[in-house]
Structures are given as C-alpha cells and as structure tokens.
Amino acid sequence: MRANRSLLFGLFCALATAILVDGQSQSGYISIDCGVAPNKIEKDIVTGIYYSSDDSFITTGVNFNVSEEYGYPKNLFLPYPLADLRAFPQGNRNCYTLNPSEGKKNLYLIRASFMYGNYDGKNGLPEFDLYLNVNFWSTVKFKNASDQVYKEILSFATSETVYVCLVNKGKGIPFISGLELRPVNSSIYGTEFGRNVSLALYQRWDTGYLNGTGRYQNDIYDRIWSPYTPVSWISTKTTEYLDIFQSGYRPPDEVIKTAASPKSGDGPLEIVWTSEDSNARFYAYLHFAELEKLEKNESRKIKILWNGSPVSETSFLPSSKYSMTFSNSRAFTGKDHLISVQKTEDSTLPPILNAIEIFTAQSLDEFFTAIEDVHAVEDIKLTYKVNKVWSGDPCSPRLFPWEGIECIYNNPNYHIKSLNLSSSGLQGPIASAFRNLKFLESLDLSNNGLQQNVPEFLADLKHLKFLNLKGNDFTGFIPKSLMKKLKDGVLALSVDDRNICNSHSCEDKNKNNMVVPIAVATSVIVLLVILIIIWIILRQRKRRGNSRPGPLLPSGKRRFTYNEVSSITKNFNKVIGKGGFGIVYLGSLEDGTEIAVKMMKDPSSTKPQLPSSSSPASKEFQVEAELLLTVHHRNIASFVGYCDDDRSMALIYEYMANGNLQDYLSSENAGHLSWEKRLHIAIDSAQGLEYLHNGCMPSIIHRDVKTANILLNDNLEAKIADFGVSKVFPEDDLSHIETVVMGTPGYIDPEYYRTFMLNEKSDVYSFGIVLLELITGQRAIVKTEDGDKISVVHFVEPFFEMGELEGVVDPLLRGDYSLDSAWKFVEVAMSCVRDRGFNRPTMNQIVSELQQCLAAELAREPLSHEV
Ligand SMILES: *[C@@H]1O[C@H](CO)[C@@H](O)[C@H](O)[C@H]1NC(C)=O
Ligand SMILES: *[C@@H]1O[C@H](CO)[C@@H](O)[C@H](O)[C@H]1NC(C)=O
Ligand SMILES: *[C@@H]1O[C@H](CO)[C@@H](O)[C@H](O)[C@H]1NC(C)=O
Ligand SMILES: *[C@@H]1O[C@H](CO)[C@@H](O)[C@H](O)[C@H]1NC(C)=O
Ligand SMILES: *[C@@H]1O[C@H](CO)[C@@H](O)[C@H](O)[C@H]1NC(C)=O
Ligand SMILES: *[C@@H]1O[C@H](CO)[C@@H](O)[C@H](O)[C@H]1NC(C)=O
Ligand SMILES: *[C@@H]1O[C@H](CO)[C@@H](O)[C@H](O)[C@H]1NC(C)=O
C-alpha cells in the first residue's frame, strides 16, 4: 500500500506540477516520518525532502496507519508524513531525541505535524501538550479527524541534544505524524531578546501570493509560506533580480517578488487578529522589497503602526535591490491586535507588503536536571535496562518528571531526591552509579532480583533518609556504616532479616584473626602476591607513557597522549596565547573542531623534565583538571580533555575565536563593542561566576577573576576560564578559608589582602573591576596624566560621586547608550567594589541587576532594522 501510495502520488504530481529535481542540499535537516517501519528512508516527491523512520530517535510508542477513509489512495492530496503516526499509550511524557549536526549554539526551526485520521478506530479527538526540551511549546487540538495540525517553533539550542516531548494530560493518547528540524542562520529572528525565548509560529503569510510551492527548495530554511490576499488587496510582482542574501532572513524569491497593496489606492494594509491569551507576547517580522520601477517624481515611503503606535520610529523606502525585514523589539501584548502598513504623507505611491510572519514568544524559564544526576540515572537505566518510559530530562518539566523519580527544584539545577525502582525487575549487583546521586533522600529498590553484597558506598549518600532493600537476593550482611546510620536514627532502613547481623558473632568474625584457618590465610597471601604483580605491571606501563585507560571521563571528554596532542596542534605550530601557567596552542580535532591546548611546559624543549608532583605548577594542573571535569555551564570555558603522560601535561579547551576580554578591549575591535554587547558579556560572565558559586557542589571560588580570564567566542559570548588557582571549598566548612594571597594585582579584594579570609565576595570584588573595565575601556590599573598608577576604582570614584557619567563611560561608545542603563551598570560595578565584602551583592543579585541594565538598553530603541 505504501508503494502504491508513492506511485499514485508520483502520477498525480507528474500531471499536476513539474517534478522537482534534487537541488539545494538538505544538509543539517532532520526529517522524520513517524510511524514507518524501522530503517526506511523515503522521498516526498512533492518537496524532494527525504524522510527517515523514527526508530533511531525514540524507543517508546506504537506505530499506526490512519484509517482507510483518511489515507491513500482515497485522499490523494494528503501531504507527505501524515498517512502514518506513532502513538504513546504508555507514560506521561514521551520524547524524541534529536542531535542536530550543527550542535548547540545554533538556531533551529522545529516543526511537528499531526493528523488523527481515526487511526485507532475510536473516533475520539485527543488533546495533548508539546514541549521543546523542558519548556512548554504548544497544545495540540483537533477540529475533526482530517484536521492537519502543524506546530512550528524557532529555538536556540543550548545543548547538543534537542528533546521534543509529547505530554499526556489525560485527554486522550498523544501521537505524532511527522517531525522536522532545520538549521537557521543564528543571527536572525530575535537576537534582540537575548535568547531567553523561543518563537512559536502564529502565522506566516506570503501576501500578494500568485503561485509557488511556498517552502523547500525555494526556501533554504524550509519555512512554509501560506498565501494571503484579502479581497481589498491587489497583488503585484516583479521578474527583476532581487538580492535575498543580503539579510540572513533570505525570504524565498517567489515570496519576496510578490507584494500586496490596497485596492483603494491610498489606504493602509491592515492585519488584524485576536489573541485568546491576553498575556501572549507577539513578535512580527515584515518583509519588504520595491517591485516597481519608480519615476523620478514618484516615491514610496512606508510606516508601520501597531494599535495606532509606531513600530518603526522612522519611515522607510523599500529597496528595489534587496529585501528588508522589520520587527518590533518590544512585544505586542493584549487581546486585540492591528498591524497597519501605511504610506507617509509625502509618499506618492500606496504602501506595499511582501510577506509577514507573526510569532508568540515562549519563555524558557524551566531549568534542567544537574548533569551529574542525568549521567547517573541514564547509567542506571542502561545497566538494568529499566522498563519504564524514561525519556527527555529526568526532573523537568516539573509537572512530569520520570516515573518513580522526585526532584528538588532549586534553580538553576534540579536534583533527584527520590528514586523508586521497586518491582522493576532489576538484576545483578547494586550499580555504582547510585553513589553519584548525591542529593538522594529516598531509594526504594525493594522486590527486585538484586544480588551480591549491599555496597558500603550507600552510606556515603549524605542525605539518604529512607532505604528499602527488602525482597532481593543479597548475600552477606548489611555494612556496618549503614547499620550505624540506622542506629543513630538518621536512616530508615528496610531489609530482609537474613541480611542483618543480630549477634556479636558475625561482627566478631571479621575482627578475630586468630581463628582464621591457615588455608584462608595462604590464599590471602597468594592473592596479595598476584595483586602486587599486577600493580607493578600497571606501573611499568604507566612509566612507558602508553595510552592507558584512565579514570572514566564524562562522555565526550577525552584523555590524550603526548603524541596525539602533538598531532592535533600540528607539532605545536601556532601559539595563540601565553599565561602564567604555560603556552597555549591552536589545534583541531579529527572532526575539525578547533581547540586550544594549554601546555604545562615547553614541548619543544628536548629534555623532558617531569614536574615533581609537589611543584606548584603540577599541583595547579591537578586542581584545574579535576575541577574542570565537574563543571559544566554555558558560560564556563568547556573542557575537551587533558593529557598527563610523562612527557607533558596539557589541558584542552574549546577554542574561543575572539580571545580574551582584556586583549579584545584594547584592540581595535573595541570600537565595535556596543553598549548592548558589553552588557551581554557582563551578563554571560556573571552567570558563569554565579554558577561556580552557587551551582557547584562544593561551591567554587575562582580567585583570579580578571578580563584576561574571560574568553570570547565568535559570537562574542563570554566564558569564564582558568581555575588554575581555584580551591574547592570543603563541603561543610565555614564561610571562609585561610590561604596565602593569590590573584592578580589590580583585582585583589582589599579585605582579603588585609584579613587573608577568602570567600565568594572576593570574586565579586574582582568582578567589579572587570565591569569597570567594560564600562570605561580602561585597564584595572590606570595610568593618570601625571604618570601615577591608580586603580580603576579610584579613577571612576570622583566622577561617580559628582554624577558625571560622561567622564566614566568609554569614549569609544560616542554616547550611544541608554543613560538609565549606563547609570545602573556603573552603580552595580561600584557596589561590587565596596570595601567590606559584607556590603557587596551576591553574584545572583548581580546577574539580575545586569539583566535590568540590558532591558533598559533594549527599551531605548523601539526600531530594530535589519536590511
Ligand atoms: C501501514 O501501511 C503500510 C503499507 O501498507 C504497511 O506496510 C504497514 O505495516 C502499516 N503499518 C501498520 C502499523 O499497520
Ligand atoms: C475539518 O476541519 C478543517 C479545519 O477546520 C476544515 O477545513 C475541514 O473542512 C473539516 N473537515 C470536515 C470533514 O469536517
Ligand atoms: C506561476 O508559475 C509558473 C511556473 O513557474 C509561471 O509560468 C506562471 O507565469 C506563474 N503565474 C503567475 C500568475 O505568475
Ligand atoms: C547569517 O546572516 C548574516 C546577516 O544577517 C550574514 O552576515 C551571515 O553571513 C549569515 N550566515 C550564513 C551562514 O549564511
Ligand atoms: C510624474 O510624471 C509623469 C510624467 O513624467 C506624470 O504623468 C505623472 O502624473 C507624475 N506624477 C506625479 C505624482 O506627479
Ligand atoms: C514505590 O512504588 C511502589 C509501587 O509503585 C509503592 O508501593 C511504594 O510505596 C513506593 N515507595 C516509596 C518509597 O514511595
Ligand atoms: C527576556 O529578556 C528581555 C530583555 O532582556 C526581558 O525584557 C524579558 O523580560 C526576558 N524574558 C524572560 C522570560 O526572562
């Protein structure tokens, strides 16, 4: 039937339209026809897009075809992926896992399609919710069984994996017919929102539509443009060349080369809609190009209004050479909406509109489960082949955590606090992955087939209050450490009687060496000898510097040998930096990813000398390597791997194309660093530090915050680097620790200098200096006209006290910033460098204050114009 369907479809297409040949590449596209038998790839003859089956993207669900009445061949016009579907009778939340080839930090268009088609013969229309990652996307509802529902969203990926989840609300079984993902140029659609929202499509209209397919291959991003021309409008078109590549938006030729104008000559073009939700926030993107040849005495000048107030402050002339796109930088809110495209008084020609897209903003306000917990629970799922619907993020969205899991919802990372795997058919020993669920309070493993000894490490779970091990096949006794917790009343422990040591006899057995039979003693000695031999062999291998399996690295991270490091840096060919710690080289991995390699010592030195393990450099290395392995955040320089064989020690990071902030601020690039960009850099780095202080267990004090330790990638996103001198907080220690003073002159907290007491507020002081450098463009230590060297704090102070902003802000900005924003920024910076740590804000407060600065700056300019 499937073959027939394609054939019929093909025939129909050959008759009705020209068959498209494979043209532009579908590179980066993910196109899934949900509900097809595994391992199939089929081409949609209408669009030329190749769809694959969904078995490699999801493991749950059941395949169905729509009922005969709605499918092929009865319904020849049924668009491609709608004839079959995958339904999810089990589990609250079922997720597709997509790994786009362009990876994170990219904008993607994601489209899901649905048609019920009475696939289950029940004639009931289900209603369910769609989530993108952990955030709500949309509700899916149907008017009738043949209603075709498309949901589309533009979202910026913050991790390598994108989850599309269907959530059962108790109003029918969720299903999905098709799922598509397209990479989109990341510099369009909402860069102005600072990436804190996704844009869900409301309408996308080709106004003045004449003909065309309205999507791929004409549209490289495969947007679907619907025709829209009310009766009071007329259409015009051009066959002239128009440059659609000038802007990243690239509206397809067939869309931009037709336009609507009012029939009545001088009237406006009006687009009206009513929102069911008066809190919805709308963003509109209007595309323009001049299609007529204008005489010398003619002009077409246009202004855009929303509910009577201007969207663009100035009017504009559409270009006949290229397409232009306008959008509102402040959201349209309320119930009733009217966008009016009008001619200005001095325009001789009526207004035109070539295309319009309207989106609603979806907040990204949910957080993800902490990565350590995700790894641990994924590990458990794999080890025991847990037979539950466990997909997407374990804790989030908080209404629908994984079955058997409860979480602690502390921002910005959620942790698993309770895990119930009772009667889940678990076999084998208790996996060590459990010990990584550091926040676990309750663990129910009752009624499984678990074997061997109950491991000691369960007692290391500090927060564990409830543990049920009943109904398993454990051998031996419960470890004493756990029994002690039970006796101390800190742990409620349920366990089968035979695993409890009731009399002294069992405890004594362990202690009483005297009665150990000779045979046992001999075998222990033999065992010891074998262990020693193995140990010696392993040590020798290590000496030879062979690559060897080291401690397990988190997935994606790697341990490198000296030879590998030498090869990925093309024999230490290009130096990109020098630090207190060593030289930094540029390299690239097999897949082309560019990386920075930080070497401990000069690799070109012919005599390799081992840094002794007690030398400060080596210690610094170990501190950094160990810390980096535990830290994962968008604003922390990400760690690719390390090398510590005998010839060298190296740390390998992602490569940051724009170097460090200190160099950037003193380069000619600083001239292009707008106020908004400076604010983004400040917020990024504040978030990185905030994560070190509050998101890490134990909390991390950086101790060397400075502009040279803030790196910028090619999008000028900032990341904190260099934990060389960081020191992990002892977990339940006081709020400060005593150390020798470390850090960089100009950045050191004066209180720390006086008292040798270190806490988070010392980082806050240094960060204040960083903010002052961003504001003023000066270095941490400023040279005055009379040759004195003073701290940037003392440089700013007099102006600050007199309220003279111009004296403070970097002259390179030429006054191009919001005064409100600038004042607030200076105030935040000055509050960070207050004398007493106690009076300084926390990183948390700083992040939110800086976000307000950004909001003030963005509110300044209602016009956002991109050609
Ligand atoms: C759907 O129809 C195709 C083509 O007739 C068939 O091969 C497939 O097995 C059907 N799928 C299901 C789940 O019935
Ligand atoms: C089903 O609903 C769609 C969308 O409202 C409508 O266009 C179509 O005519 C309806 N079909 C039937 C058979 O009622
Ligand atoms: C519609 O497209 C066809 C083929 O591209 C073209 O020949 C025809 O002129 C177009 N019609 C209009 C009204 O533009
Ligand atoms: C994305 O769009 C920008 C302009 O908005 C352009 O400079 C850039 O080259 C585009 N990138 C790609 C990959 O097309
Ligand atoms: C512009 O000039 C043309 C003749 O060159 C004339 O026909 C037309 O009416 C003029 N239009 C306007 C708006 O003045
Ligand atoms: C775990 O789940 C089982 C059945 O689903 C239930 O009987 C038991 O009480 C749960 N355990 C905890 C600790 O909630
Ligand atoms: C997103 O950022 C903008 C500008 O910074 C701000 O106005 C808005 O409130 C933010 N939205 C959310 C949901 O955080």
Side-chain angles (χ1 to χ4, degrees):
M1 182 181 151
R2 188 147 186 108
N4 280 347
R5 170 192 137 171
S6 295
L7 185 66
L8 282 166
F9 214 177
L11 270 174
F12 161 70
C13 296
L15 291 172
T17 66
I19 297 180
L20 294 162
V21 287
D22 295 350
Q24 286 165 316
S25 82
Q26 297 170 21
S27 114
Y29 281 26
I30 298 177
S31 310
I32 305 172
D33 180 356
C34 309
V36 189
N39 304 319
K40 276 217 169 146
I41 294 185
E42 265 190 83
K43 180 171 158 187
D44 173 3
I45 297 168
V46 177
T47 59
I49 295 172
Y50 290 91
Y51 288 85
S52 60
S53 50
D54 53 5
D55 50 303
S56 54
F57 303 95
I58 194 157
T59 52
T60 53
V62 190
N63 287 350
F64 287 96
N65 289 326
V66 297
S67 73
E68 213 177 305
E69 190 188 344
Y70 298 95
Y72 305 107
K74 267 201 175 156
N75 186 356
L76 277 180
F77 293 90
L78 191 61
Y80 189 72
L82 299 182
D84 39 34
L85 55 91
R86 188 180 280 250
F88 302 95
Q90 256 148 24
N92 276 336
R93 177 164 55 113
N94 285 267
C95 301
Y96 278 79
T97 307
L98 309 180
N99 290 305
S101 56
E102 326 260 316
K104 62 181 167 187
K105 290 179 239 152
N106 263 295
L107 186 61
Y108 294 104
L109 178 158
I110 297 153
R111 183 164 50 223
S113 48
F114 310 85
M115 188 182 88
Y116 169 60
N118 196 22
Y119 74 88
D120 53 0
K122 290 186 182 152
N123 271 315
L125 299 172
E127 179 185 327
F128 49 89
D129 284 346
L130 210 51
Y131 277 72
L132 182 63
N133 295 320
V134 293
N135 289 289
F136 177 76
W137 168 1
S138 184
T139 294
V140 180
K141 275 194 237 185
F142 301 90
K143 296 206 176 73
N144 56 47
S146 56
D147 194 6
Q148 299 167 8
V149 174
Y150 293 90
K151 297 288 177 185
E152 190 189 299
I153 196 162
L154 281 162
S155 186
F156 192 76
T158 50
S159 77
E160 302 289 339
T161 305
V162 173
Y163 296 118
V164 174
C165 303
L166 295 110
V167 167
N168 189 333
K169 305 197 285 185
K171 294 188 176 176
I173 292 170
F175 73 87
I176 182 165
S177 313
L179 184 58
E180 298 163 301
L181 174 144
R182 316 287 183 231
V184 175
N185 185 326
S186 298
S187 62
I188 58 172
Y189 291 119
T191 30
E192 62 268 39
F193 314 120
R195 303 285 181 216
N196 62 0
V197 295
S198 293
L199 294 177
L201 184 65
Y202 182 67
Q203 290 293 356
R204 178 180 290 121
W205 283 324
D206 178 4
T207 47
Y209 165 85
L210 289 172
N211 71 22
T213 62
R215 68 180 285 189
Y216 183 84
Q217 302 165 339
N218 293 310
D219 190 327
I220 184 72
Y221 305 135
D222 193 23
R223 290 164 291 194
I224 299 178
W225 301 82
S226 320
Y228 182 71
T229 311
V231 287
S232 61
W233 295 7
I234 50 167
S235 302
T236 51
K237 67 164 185 163
T238 185
T239 50
E240 298 290 310
Y241 175 77
L242 264 171
D243 182 359
I244 57 164
F245 301 103
Q246 256 225 345
S247 86
Y249 287 98
R250 298 177 69 169
D253 253 358
E254 63 182 39
V255 169
I256 200 70
K257 284 184 172 178
T258 62
S261 51
K263 256 188 193 150
S264 64
D266 281 357
L269 291 167
E270 292 187 330
I271 291 160
V272 179
W273 75 96
T274 306
S275 167
E276 283 169 27
D277 171 10
S278 62
N279 290 323
R281 295 173 294 151
F282 289 91
Y283 289 93
Y285 291 80
L286 294 88
H287 307 277
F288 295 92
E290 179 59 72
L291 305 182
E292 287 175 38
K293 272 221 147 42
L294 303 192
E295 297 298 333
K296 282 227 163 60
N297 60 353
E298 290 178 322
S299 71
R300 190 191 312 276
K301 221 171 173 188
I302 294 177
K303 59 183 177 181
I304 308 169
L305 301 172
W306 168 77
N307 287 0
S309 56
V311 170
S312 54
E313 217 167 52
T314 52
S315 48
F316 60 94
L317 306 162
S319 162
S320 59
K321 299 209 171 61
Y322 49 83
S323 65
M324 303 161 99
T325 301
F326 289 85
S327 72
N328 50 314
S329 51
R330 226 176 303 175
F332 301 146
T333 53
K335 239 176 133 44
D336 297 312
H337 301 265
L338 165 65
I339 290 183
S340 174
V341 180
Q342 306 181 352
K343 81 189 239 336
T344 60
E345 297 206 337
D346 54 344
S347 170
T348 65
L349 294 173
I352 56 165
L353 175 62
N354 305 56
I356 180 169
E357 296 168 273
I358 305 171
F359 299 92
T360 54
Q362 298 292 352
S363 299
L364 303 178
D365 41 18
E366 265 291 5
F367 291 93
F368 291 86
T369 307
I371 194 77
E372 311 82 64
D373 285 27
V374 174
H375 285 159
V377 78
E378 288 282 3
D379 208 348
I380 291 167
K381 177 179 153 187
L382 216 72
T383 308
Y384 299 109
K385 302 190 174 59
V386 174
N387 183 22
K388 289 187 195 297
V389 180
W390 274 9
S391 60
D393 188 271
C395 294
S396 199
R398 57 179 78 195
L399 285 179
F400 310 99
W402 284 3
E403 187 190 339
I405 280 183
E406 285 172 42
C407 301
I408 309 170
Y409 293 101
N410 280 340
N411 299 345
N413 274 323
Y414 298 161
H415 286 282
I416 294 171
K417 77 164 178 204
S418 154
L419 180 55
N420 188 347
L421 283 170
S422 124
S423 311
S424 303
L426 313 189
Q427 301 279 340
I430 292 187
S432 64
F434 284 101
R435 76 193 309 167
N436 296 332
L437 293 169
K438 295 258 159 58
F439 289 80
L440 208 57
E441 292 171 17
S442 161
L443 178 61
D444 191 340
L445 296 175
S446 58
N447 303 318
N448 287 298
L450 292 168
Q451 293 149 353
Q452 302 186 11
N453 285 318
V454 173
E456 190 101 29
F457 65 69
L458 288 175
D460 299 339
L461 293 169
K462 281 179 133 180
H463 302 278
L464 197 65
K465 297 190 190 79
F466 177 92
L467 178 62
N468 191 348
L469 300 174
K470 268 204 154 81
N472 284 292
D473 305 323
F474 292 119
T475 44
F477 298 119
I478 299 295
K480 272 196 276 175
S481 47
L482 274 176
M483 292 307 289
K484 180 171 184 310
K485 285 193 149 186
L486 172 67
K487 282 190 193 121
D488 293 349
V490 291
L491 178 70
L493 178 66
S494 312
V495 64
D496 294 328
D497 287 342
R498 73 189 138 81
N499 296 117
I500 291 195
C501 168
N502 281 320
S503 62
H504 284 292
S505 58
C506 42
E507 253 176 69
D508 290 347
K509 241 182 239 163
N510 295 335
K511 285 183 186 166
N512 198 345
N513 293 336
M514 309 286 277
V515 295
V516 174
I518 299 291
V520 173
T522 339
S523 52
V524 165
I525 289 166
V526 170
L527 199 70
L528 267 174
V529 170
I530 292 172
L531 280 175
I532 288 169
I533 292 171
I534 291 175
W535 182 70
I536 290 172
I537 291 172
L538 282 177
R539 252 177 79 103
Q540 276 172 347
R541 277 214 191 136
K542 190 171 166 182
R543 285 265 162 82
R544 271 187 242 120
N546 283 345
S547 76
R548 58 190 187 273
L552 275 183
L553 296 174
S555 63
K557 310 280 164 168
R558 288 176 54 189
R559 168 184 290 249
F560 295 80
T561 62
Y562 175 80
N563 288 342
E564 282 168 330
V565 171
S566 160
S567 118
I568 56 187
T569 55
K570 301 227 165 54
N571 210 4
F572 306 100
N573 188 19
K574 187 163 177 209
V575 175
I576 52 174
K578 282 188 182 145
F581 173 73
I583 301 177
V584 188
Y585 297 90
L586 182 67
S588 77
L589 298 179
E590 304 92 80
D591 64 357
T593 319
E594 289 200 306
I595 49 165
V597 178
K598 205 171 187 190
M599 296 299 296
M600 271 291 277
K601 54 185 169 51
D602 185 3
S604 58
S605 126
T606 44
K607 266 190 284 169
Q609 43 175 179
L610 258 175
S612 82
S613 60
S614 59
S615 80
S618 164
K619 244 188 209 148
E620 217 172 282
F621 175 84
Q622 282 159 12
V623 169
E624 186 157 16
E626 268 165 35
L627 265 179
L628 283 166
L629 282 171
T630 64
V631 173
H632 310 271
H633 188 270
R634 194 162 64 85
N635 299 117
I636 304 286
S638 80
F639 186 44
V640 182
Y642 70 98
C643 162
D644 72 343
D645 71 18
D646 293 351
R647 293 173 69 187
S648 65
M649 291 177 166
L651 290 172
I652 300 159
Y653 299 94
E654 67 177 314
Y655 171 63
M656 303 285 280
N658 273 313
N660 74 48
L661 180 58
Q662 177 173 342
D663 292 345
Y664 200 87
L665 277 174
S666 46
S667 74
E668 59 207 25
N669 290 327
H672 305 295
L673 206 51
S674 67
W675 188 253
E676 185 187 334
K677 282 187 191 145
R678 288 176 201 232
L679 282 166
H680 279 296
I681 292 172
I683 292 173
D684 285 348
S685 13
Q687 281 169 342
L689 270 182
E690 202 266 345
Y691 176 75
L692 291 182
H693 289 180
N694 304 326
C696 292
M697 278 299 281
S699 140
I700 295 170
I701 297 181
H702 187 293
R703 310 216 286 176
D704 199 11
V705 176
K706 55 181 172 180
T707 43
N709 278 339
I710 293 173
L711 303 181
L712 301 171
N713 70 8
D714 49 358
N715 287 326
L716 287 184
E717 288 160 343
K719 298 183 185 216
I720 303 277
D722 217 334
F723 305 91
V725 294
S726 285
K727 196 164 184 183
V728 184
F729 254 16
E731 236 172 293
D732 12 57
D733 197 13
L734 315 155
S735 65
H736 59 79
I737 43 180
E738 280 185 51
T739 52
V740 269
V741 174
M742 286 171 128
T744 304
Y747 294 90
I748 298 170
D749 170 13
E751 189 175 64
Y752 167 41
Y753 209 88
R754 283 195 305 271
T755 61
F756 292 94
M757 297 293 192
L758 182 74
N759 61 29
E760 281 98 341
K761 294 297 179 69
S762 313
D763 278 354
V764 170
Y765 181 90
S766 312
F767 187 65
I769 304 289
V770 168
L771 293 182
L772 289 174
E773 289 183 69
L774 266 172
I775 294 167
T776 60
Q778 301 279 0
R779 297 288 278 263
I781 294 174
V782 183
K783 256 204 191 130
T784 64
E785 275 155 21
D786 6 303
D788 287 344
K789 287 182 182 170
I790 60 168
S791 157
V792 68
V793 178
H794 298 132
F795 169 80
V796 171
E797 231 160 25
F799 296 108
F800 181 63
E801 275 156 18
M802 302 292 287
E804 286 171 16
L805 202 56
E806 310 81 71
V808 176
V809 181
D810 191 344
L812 285 178
L813 287 161
R814 283 180 242 97
D816 188 10
Y817 47 83
S818 140
L819 285 180
D820 287 349
S821 175
W823 256 121
K824 189 147 181 88
F825 199 173
V826 177
E827 276 169 14
V828 175
M830 292 304 281
S831 70
C832 295
V833 295
R834 283 180 188 142
D835 234 17
R836 304 224 13 224
F838 175 75
N839 292 326
R840 298 174 201 148
T842 62
M843 283 316 301
N844 215 326
Q845 290 163 328
I846 295 168
V847 169
S848 95
E849 301 264 309
L850 289 175
Q851 275 163 347
Q852 288 170 32
C853 295
L854 181 62
E857 170 66 7
L858 291 174
R860 170 170 72 110
E861 175 70 277
L863 172 68
S864 109
H865 169 198
E866 292 168 51
V867 287

